[in-house]
């Protein structure tokens, strides 16, 4: 709460300095422009998601309300408008990032806490890069944690969700084979061959595999977005971190994840269907039905 108040105070002051510099005569414009800023702040404090969407409306709001007159009357408005747009764009980007991380923090739990959560339908392990040697180190960590949770009896089934949409590239079979080598029965491991993105994986976990209560396993930086998507899609989800080791490129992944959180924040507003849907495969059944046809026969 303190962080939100400090953020709002700084943002409020900066916006009013900007407004006063552009329009030194009218106080009405400044007053009107402050209304959506205050609404955004109240919405963020109380986690009213629909109010926080106003963050994205602010740049358009200011443009329509103020700069059209400048566009017609002045030749020099373009540079300050571009600068203002960049400032507002950056503010929106980091505001959404903060919002997603803040409200999902409590859904990230330890392995010990996961044992106290009742009636979990399945463990959802999110895919990552594989090569000719098998799962990458990042994916191996996710698999190790997912397998450990299954062995502790936290859920009766596991879904391995990843990209198997290209010839010669197959995340999900590599994930299932890894689990089988660790001693997991084949029939408890489901493969989601069309988990082409985090959004697709979680959408399909609900609509295809009929899971309502899940534990998501991935690295912490990725959990916030995954849990937020699940919340918006109506799934009760908890996250367990797969941060067994430190991996190179952590800063780059975190920067990309900021943009990905913003992308999926917008996506969850409209809730589009994933790239592929298909027939229902309830996770309460036999995981071998998701095997490649030639293997299943």
């Amino acid at each position: 709460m303190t962080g939100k108040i400090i953020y709002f105070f700084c943002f409020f002051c900066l916006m009013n300095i900007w407004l006063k510099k552009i329009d030194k005569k009218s106080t009405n414009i400044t007053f009107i422009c402050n209304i959506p800023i205050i609404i955004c702040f109240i919405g963020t404090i109380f986690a009213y998601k629909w109010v926080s969407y106003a963050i994205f409306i602010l740049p358009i709001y200011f443009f329509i309300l103020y700069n059209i007159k400048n566009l017609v009357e002045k030749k020099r408005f373009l540079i300050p408008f571009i600068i203002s747009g960049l400032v507002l764009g950056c503010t929106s980007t980091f505001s959404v990032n903060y919002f997603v991380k803040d409200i999902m923090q409590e859904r990230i739990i330890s392995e010990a806490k996961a044992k106290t959560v009742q009636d979990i339908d399945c463990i959802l392990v999110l895919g990552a890069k594989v090569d000719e040697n098998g799962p990458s180190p990042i994916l191996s960590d996710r698999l190790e944690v997912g397998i450990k949770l299954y062995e502790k009896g936290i859920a009766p089934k596991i879904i391995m969700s990843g990209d198997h949409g290209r010839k010669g590239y197959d995340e999900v079979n590599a994930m299932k084979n890894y689990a089988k080598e660790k001693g997991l029965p084949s029939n408890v491991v489901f493969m989601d061959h069309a988990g082409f993105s985090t959004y697709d994986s979680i959408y399909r976990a609900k609509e295809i595999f009929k899971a309502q209560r899940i534990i998501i396993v991935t690295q912490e930086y990725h959990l916030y977005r995954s849990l937020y998507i699940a919340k918006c899609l109506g799934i009760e989800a908890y996250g367990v971190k797969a941060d067994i080791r430190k991996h190179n490129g952590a800063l780059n992944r975190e920067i990309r994840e900021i943009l990905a959180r913003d992308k999926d924040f917008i996506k969850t507003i409209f809730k589009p269907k994933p790239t592929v849907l298909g027939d229902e495969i309830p996770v309460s059944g036999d995981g071998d039905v998701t095997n490649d046809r030639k293997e299943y026969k």
Side-chain angles (χ1 to χ4, degrees):
M1 181 67 72
T2 304
K4 292 178 181 178
I5 293 171
I6 293 171
Y7 168 79
F8 169 71
F9 179 76
C10 294
F11 179 67
F12 185 81
C13 291
L14 286 170
M15 288 308 305
N16 276 275
I17 291 169
W18 178 77
L19 289 167
K20 288 294 183 183
K21 280 186 173 292
I22 291 180
D23 191 350
K24 298 179 180 178
K25 298 177 182 178
S26 173
T27 55
N28 291 331
I29 292 292
T30 302
F31 175 76
I32 293 171
C33 286
N34 278 324
I35 293 173
I37 302 173
I38 293 169
I39 290 173
C40 282
F41 173 65
I42 294 171
T44 303
I45 282 184
F46 293 102
Y48 293 146
K49 179 185 166 188
W50 65 270
V51 179
S52 67
Y53 295 159
I55 293 170
F56 288 98
I57 299 172
L58 284 175
I60 301 171
Y61 179 85
F62 286 118
F63 174 78
I64 293 173
L65 187 64
Y66 190 82
N67 282 307
I68 284 181
K69 182 179 74 173
N70 286 350
L71 179 62
V72 174
E73 296 179 356
K74 298 180 182 180
K75 301 286 186 180
R76 296 178 295 175
F77 101 101
L78 191 58
I79 292 176
F81 175 68
I82 291 173
I83 294 172
S84 301
L86 289 172
V87 170
L88 287 169
C90 289
T91 302
S92 298
T93 298
F94 287 102
S95 295
V96 170
N97 178 66
Y98 176 81
F99 175 74
V100 170
K101 291 184 72 173
D102 186 56
I103 66 171
M104 289 296 106
Q105 183 67 54
E106 63 182 16
R107 286 286 177 165
I108 299 177
I109 59 177
S110 65
E111 291 180 21
K113 182 72 178 292
K115 293 180 70 174
T116 67
V117 182
Q118 301 296 316
D119 301 321
I120 295 296
D121 296 323
C122 66
I123 297 157
L124 176 63
V125 181
L126 297 177
K129 184 180 178 181
V130 299
D131 55 33
E132 62 275 5
N133 298 317
S136 63
I138 285 178
L139 182 53
S140 295
D141 286 356
R142 297 179 188 181
L143 291 165
E144 286 290 340
V145 172
I147 291 167
K148 188 184 296 184
L149 293 175
Y150 171 80
E151 290 174 340
K152 289 182 177 180
I154 289 167
K157 303 291 173 63
I158 295 184
I159 299 175
M160 304 298 190
S161 184
D163 185 351
H164 188 195
R166 293 170 281 161
K167 187 176 181 180
Y169 185 77
D170 180 359
E171 292 179 0
V172 292
N173 274 289
M175 294 165 75
K176 180 162 185 172
N177 289 337
Y178 188 100
K180 287 162 62 177
E181 288 170 4
K182 295 289 183 176
L184 268 64
S186 179
N187 66 329
V188 305
V189 183
F190 287 73
M191 291 188 290
D192 179 5
H193 299 266
F196 302 127
S197 68
T198 305
Y199 179 86
D200 284 10
S201 292
I202 295 170
Y203 194 111
R204 286 173 55 81
K206 180 183 179 183
E207 298 300 328
I208 300 299
F209 296 97
K210 314 310 290 182
Q212 296 295 327
R213 289 169 57 84
I214 64 175
I215 298 249
I216 300 174
V217 177
T218 184
Q219 277 72 25
E220 182 177 10
Y221 75 89
H222 191 202
L223 272 178
Y224 299 105
R225 175 162 59 104
S226 306
L227 291 167
Y228 184 78
I229 293 169
K231 175 180 180 293
C232 293
L233 294 179
I235 302 172
E236 184 177 346
Y238 301 87
V240 175
K241 296 183 287 188
D243 293 323
I244 297 174
R245 298 170 284 183
K246 291 185 178 180
H247 302 282
N248 294 331
L251 179 59
N252 290 337
R253 284 191 294 273
E254 183 58 45
I255 291 171
R256 289 198 303 269
E257 189 65 19
I258 290 171
L259 299 177
R261 288 177 195 132
D262 283 74
K263 171 182 67 71
D264 282 337
F265 178 89
I266 297 173
K267 204 167 185 177
T268 55
I269 297 172
F270 302 101
K271 297 181 176 62
K273 291 182 179 179
T275 308
V276 176
L277 271 174
D279 298 330
E280 293 179 1
I281 309 170
V283 77
S284 57
D286 188 328
D288 281 335
V289 301
T290 62
N291 290 356
D292 293 346
R293 286 186 179 181
K294 61 182 180 181
E295 292 183 9
Y296 187 56
K297 288 180 179 178

